[in-house]
Amino acid sequence: MSAYIIRRLLLMIPTLFAVMLINFLVVQAVPGGPIERILSTLDDTAVSATERISGAGGEIAASPTGSGGKTYRGARGLPPEFIEQLEQQFGFDKPLYERFGLMMRNFLMFEFGESYFRDRSVTDLVLDKLPVSISLGLWTTILVYLISIPLGVAKAVRDGSRFDVWTSGIVIVGNAIPGFLFAILLIVVFAGGQYLDWFPLRGLLSNDWRELSWPELVVDYLWHITLPVLAMVIGGFASLTILTKNSFLEEINKQYVMTARAKGLTERRVLYGHVFRNAMLIVISGFPAAFIGILFTGSLLIEVIFSLDGLGLLGFEAAINRDYPVMLATLYFFTLLGLVLSLIADLTYVWVDPRIDFESREV
């Protein structure tokens, strides 16, 4: 097993490199950038004043290009020296390959640089936002699995019964309602929208949380996170429930289950001693993707609706503002986390079913 783990760890290097290279090139090809954003904040008065001063001094200052002849929107009337200074500040005076190599060298040492527009290091920003996203992702994943696996097993055992039909209706409704719409419904009903005012509308803690004792702080935290987590669970449990049910149905109809029953084993022993171990393999395989999706992409709209300042909102704002260090650093972090969780999922296969041998497989 150790040889397989080493191969997988070595494979992470080219995978991570390819992902970062593709996204780096895409980011560079997208119109706009940090320089254009800064230029767009300069009002017409400043530009006119610059033109007058440059004209009085006899200098040509109306060039819209930066160093190397690159054109920037909004640069009309600004001195070329000012544009060159911005390029040096953001590192755009270097060739593309040199910038990528420098970025990867720093990322490998977990040095992510400074945010372009927040005057803080990217590491500090990520560490500040991480508890919010971890809270949403962890609680949502735990609840989704605690609901979906028992419900899927019960539906498989009672396939075709009235219980299966009614719960299928609930699953279909849950799958059809987007999480952000359910979040709005929860706010309207339970957060002082029009009916009840039982839960807070925004934030992860109350403003006076520093004055609370530990028990009060735990209650306050759970009170704030209830509605966001419920909104995310409603869209996640449906697909996992159906997956669990179908996995169990497939295993229940196999020959080894009939043999176990013929030997006189109890139904509980058959289900949880034989079927569960095999049926859970496909469920476990989807855990890394599910956790990453919930942690990052799935929580974006929920963070916006409930005013939770997490990684999803940070990444979205970085993309809007063309904050390249934050964009690429969060991408690097989640890619690396996904690769590690994928390896953990494979190791969990062996833990669930020791008969699986990855040593004999080619990576």
Side-chain angles (χ1 to χ4, degrees):
M1 193 64 186
S2 58
Y4 174 77
I5 295 176
I6 293 175
R7 291 200 303 268
R8 285 294 301 271
L9 291 175
L10 293 176
L11 185 62
M12 289 182 185
I13 298 175
T15 303
L16 188 62
F17 181 86
V19 171
M20 294 305 300
L21 176 60
I22 293 173
N23 284 274
F24 178 83
L25 294 177
V26 170
V27 166
Q28 303 302 317
V30 172
I35 293 181
E36 284 86 346
R37 187 178 184 278
I38 290 179
L39 294 178
S40 68
T41 61
L42 299 176
D43 54 25
D44 294 337
T45 303
V47 173
S48 299
T50 304
E51 289 177 342
R52 289 196 300 270
I53 294 173
S54 301
E59 298 179 1
I60 300 175
S63 172
T65 62
S67 61
K70 182 176 179 180
T71 302
Y72 295 107
R73 295 182 59 185
R76 181 180 60 84
L78 294 177
E81 294 79 6
F82 176 71
I83 304 299
E84 292 177 1
Q85 183 179 0
L86 287 178
E87 290 181 335
Q88 293 176 1
Q89 177 181 346
F90 293 110
F92 293 158
D93 57 327
K94 299 180 178 64
L96 199 63
Y97 68 89
E98 185 176 344
R99 286 156 51 196
F100 177 75
L102 182 62
M103 181 194 74
M104 289 302 301
R105 188 190 67 180
N106 293 334
F107 280 12
L108 289 175
M109 295 184 293
F110 293 96
E111 296 178 0
F112 301 114
E114 301 284 331
S115 169
Y116 285 164
F117 304 106
R118 292 176 180 259
D119 294 327
R120 295 184 61 190
S121 69
V122 176
T123 302
D124 290 341
L125 285 173
V126 171
L127 291 178
D128 284 348
K129 316 299 182 184
L130 194 59
V132 175
S133 297
I134 288 292
S135 296
L136 290 176
L138 186 61
W139 286 113
T140 301
T141 304
I142 291 175
L143 289 177
V144 164
Y145 273 76
L146 287 179
I147 294 172
S148 301
I149 293 178
L151 182 59
V153 173
K155 287 174 63 64
V157 174
R158 300 172 177 84
D159 185 39
S161 65
R162 182 175 298 180
F163 171 82
D164 183 37
V165 173
W166 281 101
T167 53
S168 294
I170 297 175
V171 169
I172 292 173
V173 171
N175 191 47
I177 299 178
F180 71 93
L181 287 182
F182 191 67
I184 296 174
L185 176 63
L186 291 176
I187 290 175
V188 171
V189 177
F190 297 108
Q194 288 186 357
Y195 300 97
L196 305 174
D197 192 9
W198 289 355
F199 295 93
L201 181 59
R202 57 186 299 146
L204 200 60
L205 292 171
S206 299
N207 294 330
D208 60 344
W209 66 272
R210 297 181 183 274
E211 303 174 3
L212 301 177
S213 62
W214 276 106
E216 293 173 337
L217 189 62
V218 171
V219 172
D220 184 72
Y221 166 76
L222 295 177
W223 182 47
H224 280 77
I225 206 171
T226 297
L227 293 187
V229 169
L230 284 179
M232 296 177 67
V233 167
I234 193 67
F237 88 98
S239 57
L240 186 59
T241 299
I242 297 300
L243 178 62
T244 303
K245 176 189 174 181
N246 292 338
S247 299
F248 263 78
L249 284 178
E250 182 179 355
E251 294 295 326
I252 287 174
N253 295 324
K254 289 185 177 180
Q255 184 65 38
Y256 75 90
V257 177
M258 299 176 60
T259 303
R261 287 171 175 166
K263 290 181 178 180
L265 297 179
T266 63
E267 190 67 17
R268 183 179 182 85
R269 179 69 182 277
V270 171
L271 287 177
Y272 295 100
H274 295 76
V275 176
F276 186 85
R277 182 175 61 183
N278 297 322
M280 283 297 98
L281 292 177
I282 191 172
V283 177
I284 292 173
S285 66
F287 175 79
F291 183 75
I292 291 297
I294 291 172
L295 184 64
F296 186 59
T297 57
S299 63
L300 171 58
L301 292 177
I302 301 301
E303 289 179 7
V304 173
I305 292 173
F306 289 98
S307 300
L308 301 174
D309 196 7
L311 288 177
L313 186 59
L314 175 66
F316 175 75
E317 291 178 347
I320 295 297
N321 296 327
R322 300 296 194 269
D323 199 344
Y324 293 163
V326 177
M327 292 173 60
L328 295 171
T330 52
L331 173 68
Y332 179 86
F333 172 76
F334 282 107
T335 303
L336 183 60
L337 181 61
L339 292 173
V340 172
L341 287 178
S342 179
L343 176 59
I344 293 176
D346 286 349
L347 299 179
T348 310
Y349 282 151
V350 180
W351 176 70
V352 174
D353 190 351
R355 296 171 300 174
I356 296 178
D357 181 18
F358 286 110
E359 293 286 355
S360 59
R361 293 182 53 194
E362 294 292 335
V363 179

